[in-house]
Structures are given as C-alpha cells and as structure tokens.
C-alpha cells in the first residue's frame, strides 16, 4: 500500500483525500457518493442495475426502447442541426436507442458524450460508430459544466443535453435546483434538457431497491471504505460497519448510511478519526420526485416543462425541459 504525501499525490487524489477528511471530521459524518465509482464500484453498480429489486434501470430502458422515436420527434420539432450532449454517458446502453432513432430521421447532429472517465470516452469514441454507422461522436473528457461550456464555444449549434439514469437523484433538491440553474445559464433559447427522474411510489418498493436481499448495495457502500484504505492509506475494518437504508415518503429522500458497529478509531494517513458505537456515516441520497416536484424544479431553474415520457408502470419519467 502506498502512502499519500503531498509530493506524490495527483490533483484528483488530493481532492479525494480532502473531501474524505472533511466529511469524516464533520458532525454528522458523511462521504461523497461520487467516490463510489472506482473500477470495483463500477462493477458492483453493474450488478445493482441487474438486480430484481432495482427497477430504475429497466424502467428507463423501456422508455428508451419504446419511445425513442417520440423523443426524437420532440428534439427535431425545431429542425435545425444540433449537438446531443450526454452528461455521464457511461456505456450509452440507454441512449443508443435514441441515437438510432435520430439517425433514422437523417437529422444533422453530433453526439457529444461527457464523462470524467477518460476510459469511458475513449471506448465510446471507438465502439459507437461501429454499432451506429454514420454517427458523428465527439467525446468530451472532463467535468460536466466545463465540457458543456467547451461544447457551446466549439459550435454555435442548438444544444440538447441528456442527463439520464436518475443521476439527479444523487443531489439534494437544493443542489438539483442549483445544478439546473447553472445548466440553464449555459444554454440558449430553444435548447433542451432531458432529465431522468425516479418517481415517488410505494415506499417498500423504493426501500427494497436500496436494501436488496443479496447485499449488493451494502457491498457498494462498503467498497468506498475499501477504496479509502487502498488509495488514502487508511485502515477501515469493513466488517465493523453495516449498511442501513431508509426512505421517507414525505420528503421522497432515500438515504444510505454506514453504521459503526463498535466504538473504534480509524487512521487515514496521519489523521485519526473516532467513531462512537452506532455512529453513522451519511453515504448517499437518492431523491425521488413527484410530478409536481419536477414542475417546480423546471420553473425554479427557468425552464419550461415541455414533455414527459413514462414507462408502463409510471415508475420513472424522462422529462424534457425547454429553455
Ligand atoms: C447512480 N444513481 C442514480 C444510483 C441511485 O439509484 O441513486 C446509485 C445507487 N446507489 C445505490 N443503488 C444505486
């Protein structure tokens, strides 16, 4: 295991160390769920998306498989050439349906996937044109807002921004409002933002999605402690922490915590962190939305709620916001 020192750490590792120490020295303790996704975390998340209990992926996939032509029609109503910018594109397994529908219409557009992973972008850039001949792919590797700014500077074309997978749910409502406001400030009249929201539904169904019987979500959370051990020279004993998920139907907030099973201390580099028995670390929020919440978010951030696409069970919605 290598020791993290100021001299040998990269910027991203220093940021990870800074955020981790800040979060664990705060009261109550918290970690940032954006750090779940190292190579092992990515693999566990793939397993989550295939779980029986995790209905979100299948619901949004159904929307994309069956209603891509309608979404494409909504995008093409304006008729002018555009850039389709996907924030957090991943492997594009859902957006590929929309891309196919758009290609079928002979529309003039470029697909600009944005991801912080260089590997993800290189993969898409190489493989997508084989799957979708004729597709113009302009991968953008970096932070969402920086890359969106870059895309708007590079081409004066109309922008259609895709933010799927209920990723907005991993922000508090206040952060989601700020996020949408910032997006709006980078867009121009006529531009579109398509966002995937997980909807409020039976609380038991939501809780089960984050508290699966096989313990995959538990492993997903504990993996962040393992990652901190291996990257930040820490000594968490992952058997001394337990995953706990809760869902509040009033607020729509589903929250994941790790509970310290004993009084213990953990060192991270030179820093010692004390845990009381039963003390929690707040790990992740997965916010669920009512349709009225989505309406409010659109209005608050200066968009017009233009169109909505539901799966057959109305578990999930892809909403089109228009500038
Ligand atoms: C990526 N994000 C939308 C997932 C969610 O549903 O909040 C992450 C996740 N966490 C636990 N299960 C899935």
């Amino acid at each position: 295991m290598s020791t993290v020192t100021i001299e040998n750490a990269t910027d991203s590792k220093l940021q990870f160390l800074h955020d981790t120490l800040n979060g664990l020295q705060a009261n109550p303790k918290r970690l940032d769920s954006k750090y779940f996704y190292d190579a092992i975390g990515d693999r566990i998340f793939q397993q989550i998306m295939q779980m029986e209990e995790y209905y979100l992926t299948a619901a949004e996939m159904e929307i994309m498989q069956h209603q891509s032509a309608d979404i494409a029609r909504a995008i093409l109503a304006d008729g002018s050439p555009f850039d389709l910018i996907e924030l957090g594109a991943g492997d594009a397994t859902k957006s590929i349906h929309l891309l196919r529908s758009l290609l079928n219409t002979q529309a003039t557009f470029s697909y600009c996937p944005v991801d912080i992973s260089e590997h993800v972008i290189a993969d898409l850039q190489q493989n997508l044109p084989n799957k979708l001949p004729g597709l113009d792919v302009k991968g953008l590797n970096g932070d969402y807002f920086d890359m969106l700014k870059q895309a708007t500077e590079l081409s004066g074309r109309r922008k259609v921004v895709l933010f799927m997978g209920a990723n907005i749910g991993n922000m508090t409502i206040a952060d989601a409002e700020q996020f949408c406001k910032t997006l709006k400030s980078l867009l121009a009249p006529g531009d579109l933002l398509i966002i995937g929201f997980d909807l409020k539904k039976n609380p038991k169904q939501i809780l089960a999605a984050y508290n699966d019987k096989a313990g995959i979500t538990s492993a997903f959370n504990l993996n962040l402690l393992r990652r901190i051990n291996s990257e930040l020279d820490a000594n968490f004993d992952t058997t001394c922490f337990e995953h706990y998920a809760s869902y509040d139907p009033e607020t729509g907030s589903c929250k994941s915590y790790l509970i310290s099973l004993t009084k213990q201390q953990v060192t991270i580099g030179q820093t010692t962190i004390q845990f009381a028995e039963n003390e929690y670390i707040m790990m992740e929020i997965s916010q669920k939305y009512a349709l009225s919440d989505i309406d409010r978010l659109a209005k608050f951030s200066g968009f017009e709620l233009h169109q909505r696409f539901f799966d057959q069970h109305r578990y999930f919605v892809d909403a089109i916001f228009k500038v």
Side-chain angles (χ1 to χ4, degrees):
M1 191 183 300
S2 59
T3 304
V4 183
T5 63
I6 301 297
E7 293 77 41
N8 68 12
T10 59
D11 282 355
S12 58
K13 193 164 272 193
L14 278 179
Q15 189 64 51
F16 181 28
L17 177 63
H18 174 267
D19 291 346
T20 299
L21 291 180
N22 245 356
L24 294 179
Q25 286 171 330
N27 186 15
K29 293 181 170 57
R30 57 181 154 70
L31 287 170
D32 190 330
S33 63
K34 76 176 179 207
Y35 293 115
F36 282 2
Y37 303 90
D38 66 345
I40 298 175
D42 280 346
R43 271 204 300 278
I44 304 176
F45 187 53
Q46 291 295 328
Q47 292 173 20
I48 287 178
M49 289 193 290
Q50 283 159 23
M51 291 178 343
E52 187 70 46
E53 294 101 324
Y54 196 74
Y55 57 84
L56 291 80
T57 308
E60 194 175 36
M61 186 59 107
E62 184 206 304
I63 296 171
M64 286 296 144
Q65 277 173 339
H66 299 298
Q67 297 179 71
S68 272
D70 297 326
I71 300 174
R73 250 190 300 282
I75 293 174
L76 296 172
D78 172 298
S80 58
F82 62 96
D83 292 326
L84 181 67
I85 300 170
E86 181 165 15
L87 306 180
D91 58 6
T93 40
K94 287 182 212 144
S95 39
I96 199 164
H97 298 284
L98 178 59
L99 292 169
R100 196 169 287 124
S101 294
L102 288 166
L103 283 172
N104 287 341
T105 67
Q106 318 280 318
T108 305
F109 73 102
S110 299
Y111 174 56
C112 311
V114 177
D115 210 289
I116 38 162
S117 159
E118 212 175 304
H119 171 74
V120 162
I121 294 300
D123 235 44
L124 287 172
Q125 192 85 45
Q126 196 185 341
N127 298 326
L128 263 187
N130 297 331
K131 291 185 194 156
L132 298 172
L135 181 69
D136 178 33
V137 184
K138 294 195 172 83
L140 298 167
N141 172 217
D143 171 83
Y144 289 169
F145 293 133
D146 291 346
M147 292 303 109
L148 184 54
K149 230 178 269 165
Q150 189 172 311
T152 49
E153 282 159 14
L154 281 178
S155 104
R157 298 210 290 199
R158 188 161 70 91
K159 301 282 174 273
V160 178
V161 177
L162 264 185
F163 190 48
M164 301 205 302
N167 286 318
I168 195 148
N170 297 131
M171 301 174 201
T172 61
I173 296 217
D175 287 348
E177 287 173 349
Q178 218 31 66
F179 178 80
C180 288
K181 254 188 157 174
T182 308
L183 276 180
K184 159 78 174 33
S185 72
L186 296 169
L187 298 175
D191 289 350
L192 302 177
L193 167 62
I194 305 178
I195 313 189
F197 295 93
D198 189 21
L199 294 172
K200 286 179 178 166
K201 58 182 68 61
N202 187 306
K204 285 187 187 167
Q205 185 185 354
I206 291 175
L207 188 58
Y210 295 88
N211 195 29
D212 60 288
K213 289 207 183 78
I216 299 172
T217 312
S218 166
F220 189 50
N221 280 269
L222 289 168
N223 178 59
L224 180 48
L225 302 190
R226 186 214 47 79
R227 180 180 184 187
I228 293 170
N229 282 349
S230 82
E231 293 185 28
L232 303 181
D233 189 24
N235 65 352
F236 277 103
D237 178 349
T238 56
T239 64
C240 293
F241 290 85
E242 191 173 64
H243 169 65
Y244 172 72
S246 77
Y247 175 64
D248 176 356
E250 276 186 74
T251 60
S253 295
C254 186
K255 291 180 178 171
S256 290
Y257 303 89
L258 285 177
I259 311 294
S260 174
L261 296 177
T262 56
K263 180 175 185 304
Q264 55 183 317
Q265 65 178 39
V266 173
T267 59
I268 302 173
Q270 312 296 315
T271 308
T272 302
I273 309 284
Q274 306 286 346
F275 286 89
E277 185 178 354
N278 294 326
E279 186 173 357
Y280 66 85
I281 312 173
M282 164 64 192
M283 300 295 286
E284 184 178 48
I285 182 165
S286 298
Q287 180 66 38
K288 308 307 169 191
Y289 282 79
L291 295 178
S292 55
D293 300 327
I294 297 172
D295 237 337
R296 202 171 309 118
L297 175 62
K299 283 205 187 83
F300 176 89
S301 45
F303 288 96
E304 172 206 333
L305 177 53
H306 186 57
Q307 231 173 315
R308 300 177 306 198
F309 297 89
F310 298 92
D311 64 296
Q312 59 175 322
H313 301 296
R314 291 176 85 93
Y315 289 160
F316 202 94
V317 64
D318 280 304
I320 303 188
F321 289 7
K322 191 172 184 179
V323 182

